[in-house]
Amino acid sequence: MAALAQFDLVKPRFEKTDPRMKSFYESTRYVNNLAEQHPGFVWRELNEDQALLDELWGQGYLYTLSVWKSPEALKDFLYKTPHNEFRKRGGEWFLPINKPRVVMWWIDEGHIPTLREAHEKMQILYEVGPSYQAFDLKTSDLPVVIY
């Protein structure tokens, strides 16, 4: 059976110590706990590799790498739990990114995705567009072309 890997990239507007970021950083434990308690949640990376992230995308980004049972489960968490209120406030904390900042892909059950794998999938999404190999939230419900 397959599972859904999800990678989300954001660039904070301000330094971590800036008071305008306080509400974001104070809410992360709460939001992570919400995710972990969701019935569609499988796994999330706990030991974020900031050095590798900086190498792959440039300095100043934050990310989430997680696994879900399905796109529907992920969307339920994102939009139908208190997480949605924090999502709506994203513009207060994060700069706009001109390219897609979320990528999803199917993995075998039990596989743990890596940051390098997420980078490869994001590159596929940038270069090819949504496909079976890499897609985003908007295209997760659509039939995709297999390249």
Side-chain angles (χ1 to χ4, degrees):
M1 186 168 178
L4 182 77
Q6 177 269 340
F7 174 78
D8 180 3
L9 185 69
V10 294
K11 184 144 190 175
R13 286 186 176 278
F14 312 104
E15 297 290 322
K16 185 174 184 175
T17 56
D18 189 297
R20 293 169 286 190
M21 293 300 291
K22 184 177 180 180
S23 57
F24 167 74
Y25 285 105
E26 286 180 346
S27 67
T28 55
R29 179 173 292 174
Y30 170 71
V31 171
N32 287 336
N33 285 336
L34 280 177
E36 292 168 2
Q37 292 170 16
H38 191 279
F41 174 83
V42 176
W43 172 89
R44 75 177 176 89
E45 186 174 66
L46 298 177
N47 300 312
E48 295 178 5
D49 190 341
Q50 191 65 47
L52 181 57
L53 183 75
D54 292 349
E55 175 189 323
L56 295 172
W57 274 281
Q59 292 192 347
Y61 289 92
L62 301 174
Y63 73 98
T64 302
L65 180 58
S66 59
V67 176
W68 295 81
K69 291 181 180 175
S70 67
E72 296 76 25
L74 175 59
K75 287 178 183 181
D76 184 77
F77 165 69
L78 293 174
Y79 303 117
K80 296 180 181 173
T81 70
H83 172 274
N84 194 42
E85 295 306 312
F86 294 100
R87 184 191 62 79
K88 290 177 183 176
R89 294 181 61 192
E92 294 176 35
W93 303 312
F94 308 115
L95 294 168
I97 297 176
N98 294 332
K99 294 181 176 182
R101 61 175 202 81
V102 175
V103 66
M104 302 183 300
W105 66 100
W106 295 108
I107 59 173
D108 291 333
E109 190 172 335
H111 174 74
I112 302 298
T114 66
L115 193 53
R116 284 195 189 279
E117 186 179 349
H119 185 261
E120 290 169 12
K121 297 299 183 176
M122 190 71 87
Q123 290 304 116
I124 291 170
L125 186 61
Y126 291 165
E127 294 168 12
V128 176
S131 69
Y132 183 77
Q133 293 180 329
F135 47 95
D136 57 21
L137 286 167
K138 293 176 190 152
T139 58
S140 65
D141 293 333
L142 302 175
V144 292
V145 176
I146 299 176
Y147 291 93

